[in-house]
Each structure stands twice: as structure tokens, then as C-alpha cells.
Amino acid sequence: MSATLTLKRAGLFVELRRGQFDAEVDGNPVGSLDRQETIEVPIDPGHHTIRMRAGRYSSRPHAFDAADGETVTFQLHGANLWPIYVASLVKPDLAISLKRVDSPR
């Protein structure tokens, strides 16, 4: 039994928060993405939490469920607006935007 987690790093504008982003599922590292990259990670079916990190900066954690054979897709990008970039200096979990793009079951 297996499911797939797809991560797409695709910002429409210039990313002010640059560099490689590291993906964590349930607190464990599963891969890294550079700008405009996509990775696929096999995961066990069930309940999971994903978070992206870049040094001290991160996304907010997102919980999701994956069924056997399902592909769960998230899109992410670094801060691309100055107010968000500046706010992330104080609140580091605003630095990376992470959003599920497929419809949950």
C-alpha cells in the first residue's frame, strides 16, 4: 500500500525568499526543491503533516490524509511580496507559502 506526495515549487513572480526548500513529512526530511522543481515522494496511506523549511524560515504545518493509490499535491513558493517578506523576519512561518492544489477526498 502506498500513496504519493507531489510537491511543486512554482512561484508566478520573483521569490524574495530564495534558495533550496527542504520538505518534512511528519517531522522527517523527505526531499528538497529548488525554484521551478517538482518532486514526488512515496508515503504511507493515512494522516500526515507537511512543512517546508529553509534554514530558520518555514511554512505553516499542513495536515492531510492520503488514501492508498492517491496522489496528494501541494504547491509552494517563497515570499514574493515585500510586506510578507518583512513580516517573515519576525514570524518565520510566513516565509514559505504552501497550499494543497488537488481536491481532498
Side-chain angles (χ1 to χ4, degrees):
M1 293 195 304
S2 178
T4 302
L5 173 64
T6 300
L7 300 171
K8 297 179 179 183
R9 184 170 173 188
L12 298 175
F13 304 104
V14 174
E15 286 184 314
L16 300 175
R17 180 73 54 216
R18 298 179 186 160
Q20 194 171 62
F21 293 172
D22 301 317
E24 293 179 354
V25 175
D26 301 329
N28 300 311
V30 295
S32 299
L33 290 105
D34 283 315
R35 193 162 188 261
Q36 302 300 324
E37 277 191 327
T38 299
I39 62 170
E40 291 186 352
V41 179
I43 57 173
D44 292 328
H47 186 76
H48 299 282
T49 303
I50 183 171
R51 174 178 262 178
M52 301 302 298
R53 293 194 178 276
R56 76 177 208 90
Y57 301 101
S58 69
S59 68
R60 293 179 178 159
H62 289 272
F64 67 96
D65 293 307
D68 186 32
E70 180 180 21
T71 297
V72 178
T73 304
F74 282 86
Q75 185 169 331
L76 60 125
H77 61 82
N80 56 13
L81 299 173
W82 280 104
I84 295 171
Y85 177 82
V86 172
S88 74
L89 297 174
V90 176
K91 188 162 176 16
D93 69 354
L94 296 176
I96 301 171
S97 173
L98 178 64
K99 181 175 120 179
R100 188 168 177 172
V101 293
D102 59 347
S103 57
R105 290 184 181 190

